[in-house]
Amino acid sequence: MAEPHPLMFDPDDPSLARVREIALALPGAAEKVSHGRPAFFTVKVFCYYGGAAKADMTRRHDEAVLFLPDPGDAAALAQDPRVWVPAYLGPSGWLAIDLADAEPGEIGELLDASFRRTAPARLVRELDARG
């Protein structure tokens, strides 16, 4: 039997609380621990909290969000110096940003786009119906 990953976050981290509030406000969203980090999902994960950059896996980014960007925004986001490619998920199109580098409201927008790419259509319709 494989050893579980050690927890790599503080459950009482105020930055995690901020991400949790945004993520769990989305329809059908739930939280689990995956590979030692908080992950927010419906059927598929749309956000991880914390990770490491593909370019330097020894440097942890404990207060970051990993997200799957809207395809129309991916190229511009990848050119943004605040945004980095996360280890393991980068080849699947995921990107990441440290919370300290994000503008107000930006995390909500990034999670909204990631949710729309991963959630079932009925949950996306529910989100749209909220206005």
Side-chain angles (χ1 to χ4, degrees):
M1 189 164 136
E3 289 289 320
H5 288 272
L7 291 184
M8 294 186 279
F9 67 98
D10 174 358
D12 298 322
D13 174 357
S15 294
L16 171 57
R18 179 175 151 217
V19 172
R20 187 178 277 138
E21 182 180 358
I22 295 166
L24 295 180
L26 295 165
E31 180 180 352
K32 64 182 176 181
V33 175
S34 176
H35 297 87
R37 301 253 184 212
F40 300 92
F41 69 101
T42 57
V43 176
K44 297 179 181 178
V45 173
F46 64 89
C47 172
Y48 290 94
Y49 180 74
K54 184 178 179 192
D56 181 4
M57 290 179 41
T58 62
R59 180 173 170 245
R60 289 174 38 169
H61 293 261
D62 290 333
E63 293 185 349
V65 292
L66 285 60
F67 60 92
L68 191 58
D70 179 277
D73 297 334
L77 284 167
Q79 296 302 311
D80 187 323
R82 302 170 305 143
V83 175
W84 42 275
V85 176
Y88 309 108
L89 298 171
S92 297
W94 286 69
L95 295 173
I97 188 168
D98 290 301
L99 293 177
D101 295 334
E103 298 293 327
E106 191 171 22
I107 298 302
E109 293 172 10
L110 295 172
L111 295 191
D112 180 273
S114 192
F115 175 87
R116 291 174 182 281
R117 292 214 40 208
T118 60
R122 67 178 174 78
L123 294 178
V124 174
R125 285 193 301 273
E126 184 178 330
L127 179 61
D128 289 339
R130 291 180 180 180

